């Protein structure tokens, strides 16, 4: 695993995957917003998000999924399962996936002691006195450890006022908390370190062009099929989306080559008898009574 960890940490990032971990998501108790946020994050940077999975707090499920994603994609983010309770098993499951052990990360522990606020319901808690509460807190800073990889490359601290580390395993698996406000802030602050590894270091992202058409999908399908085959080599994807109970449907072009896509606008508008718009409902006519 060591050689792959070093290689993965230096590869250009073209593709990404997101693994949402938690029984509470699968049970309908919690609504996952982190995958949508990650999708927008990748889109803004020009990274192709290829897969999103939601799995249970199950060691075998986590290990299999994260190992497969690490092999198949350049940038993998996990969300959830790194808290202080018995069912927070993400760290140990990912460690086992890559043949690693957990180890107390001293810098993360020092930051935790310095920056975390004492809970009002734990007035007797002491960082230097062994206790069940301390054991629970330590679960959050016992990270997968690869002895052959520099320690600084195995945990990233992206904000001076946050103790929560982003553990990095096998060079391309980034372990984030499931709490949305933490997930979002950590991900946003990770961005500067990712930019040099993008195929476009400026991070200008992916462009999505929307075309509003009055034609049914069956009418535009032959042209869109021909167009999709013609532009695929330029990294442009063609999409068609019906809008239920609306008089206009949507055709899309998605890609990173803005100049090439600009050159397709007039052609697409002509062939779908439509108009390029900034949002899907831009040309909708209000129904009677609205």
């Amino acid at each position: 695993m060591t050689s792959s960890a070093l290689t993965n940490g230096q590869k250009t990032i073209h593709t990404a995957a997101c693994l949402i971990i938690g029984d509470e998501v699968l049970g309908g108790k919690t609504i996952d917003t982190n995958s949508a946020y990650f999708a927008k994050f990748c889109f803004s940077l020009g990274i192709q998000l290829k897969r999103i999975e939601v799995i249970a707090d199950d060691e075998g499920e986590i290990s299999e999924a994260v190992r497969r994603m690490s092999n198949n994609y350049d940038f993998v983010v996990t969300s959830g399962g790194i808290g202080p309770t018995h069912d927070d098993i993400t760290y140990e499951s990912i460690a086992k996936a890559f043949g690693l052990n957990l180890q107390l990360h001293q810098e993360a522990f020092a930051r935790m002691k310095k920056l975390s606020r004492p809970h009002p319901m734990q007035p007797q808690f002491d960082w230097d006195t062994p206790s069940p509460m301390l054991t629970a807190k330590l679960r959050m800073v016992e990270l997968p450890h690869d002895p052959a990889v520099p320690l600084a490359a195995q945990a990233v601290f992206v904000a001076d006022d946050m103790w929560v580390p982003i553990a990095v395993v096998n060079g391309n698996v980034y372990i984030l908390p499931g709490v949305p406000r933490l997930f979002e802030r950590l991900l946003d602050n990770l961005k500067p370190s990712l930019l040099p590894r993008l195929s476009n270091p400026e991070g200008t992202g992916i462009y999505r062009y929307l075309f509003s058409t009055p034609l049914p999908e069956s009418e535009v399908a032959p042209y869109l099929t021909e167009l999709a085959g013609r532009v695929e080599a330029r990294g442009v994807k063609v999409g068609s989306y019906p809008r239920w109970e609306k008089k206009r449907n949507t055709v899309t072009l998605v890609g990173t080559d803005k100049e090439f896509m600009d050159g397709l606008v007039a052609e697409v508008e002509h062939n779908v008898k439509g108009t390029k718009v900034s949002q899907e409902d831009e040309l909708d006519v209000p129904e009677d009574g609205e």
Side-chain angles (χ1 to χ4, degrees):
M1 295 298 176
T2 299
S3 60
S4 64
L6 296 174
T7 301
N8 289 340
Q10 298 173 353
K11 287 171 56 177
T12 299
I13 298 174
H14 297 285
T15 60
C18 183
L19 184 63
I20 305 297
I21 301 167
D23 291 340
E24 68 279 7
V25 178
L26 291 171
K29 182 179 179 181
T30 299
I31 296 176
D32 165 47
T33 60
N34 290 343
S35 59
Y37 195 87
F38 184 63
K40 294 176 182 178
F41 177 83
C42 290
F43 194 89
S44 72
L45 295 178
I47 301 171
Q48 295 183 52
L49 179 57
K50 292 286 193 177
R51 180 173 291 272
I52 296 173
E53 292 185 21
V54 182
I55 61 174
D57 294 301
D58 179 277
E59 181 181 294
E61 294 274 351
I62 296 170
S63 294
E64 184 280 328
V66 77
R67 188 165 50 239
R68 168 171 43 82
M69 286 182 168
S70 181
N71 288 337
N72 292 341
Y73 308 107
D74 303 321
F75 176 48
V76 179
V77 164
T78 74
S79 163
I82 59 173
T85 59
H86 71 284
D87 57 344
D88 291 311
I89 59 171
T90 295
Y91 282 146
E92 59 191 89
S93 300
I94 292 179
K96 288 184 179 180
F98 297 103
L100 305 175
N101 294 317
L102 295 181
Q103 179 174 297
L104 179 66
H105 194 285
Q106 293 295 340
E107 183 180 354
F109 184 40
R111 290 171 67 97
M112 174 190 275
K113 290 192 288 185
K114 177 182 177 181
L115 296 173
S116 61
R117 299 175 182 176
H119 196 284
M121 299 299 291
Q122 297 178 331
Q124 304 303 318
F125 176 76
D126 180 72
W127 289 107
D128 299 315
T129 303
S131 68
M133 291 177 288
L134 178 60
T135 299
K137 290 180 183 292
L138 290 178
R139 285 175 58 86
M140 296 186 284
V141 287
E142 291 173 341
L143 311 182
H145 177 70
D146 188 336
V149 175
L151 193 60
Q154 299 189 60
V156 181
F157 299 95
V158 295
D160 291 338
D161 62 340
M162 297 181 71
W163 66 263
V164 182
I166 300 177
V168 184
V169 180
N170 204 37
N172 65 349
V173 177
Y174 292 71
I175 307 173
L176 274 69
V179 178
R181 64 182 180 84
L182 294 178
F183 179 92
E184 293 171 10
R185 187 164 181 228
L186 289 170
L187 190 61
D188 288 341
N189 282 282
L190 182 65
K191 177 179 175 179
S193 66
L194 299 177
L195 289 177
R197 295 177 54 202
L198 301 181
S199 55
N200 177 6
E202 298 298 321
T204 53
I206 300 173
Y207 300 96
R208 179 185 285 119
Y209 288 8
L210 306 177
F211 298 85
S212 177
T213 173
L215 300 179
E217 281 196 299
S218 57
E219 181 75 17
V220 299
Y223 164 68
L224 295 183
T225 300
E226 183 276 329
L227 176 65
R230 181 158 36 99
V231 302
E232 183 179 9
R234 298 294 293 270
V236 176
K237 289 190 174 183
V238 179
S240 177
Y241 303 94
R243 300 177 62 229
W244 186 250
E245 296 185 341
K246 297 294 182 181
K247 295 180 179 179
R248 303 186 72 88
N249 294 321
T250 303
V251 168
T252 64
L253 299 180
V254 178
T256 58
D257 191 336
K258 186 176 186 301
E259 183 177 358
F260 177 67
M261 291 169 64
D262 285 342
L264 295 172
V265 170
E267 174 195 330
V268 175
E269 288 182 326
H270 173 75
N271 282 279
V272 304
K273 294 183 171 56
T275 303
K276 183 175 179 291
V277 294
S278 58
Q279 57 187 46
E280 283 191 311
D281 60 358
E282 186 174 313
L283 299 181
D284 286 353
V285 177
E287 299 291 339
D288 292 341
E290 292 187 357

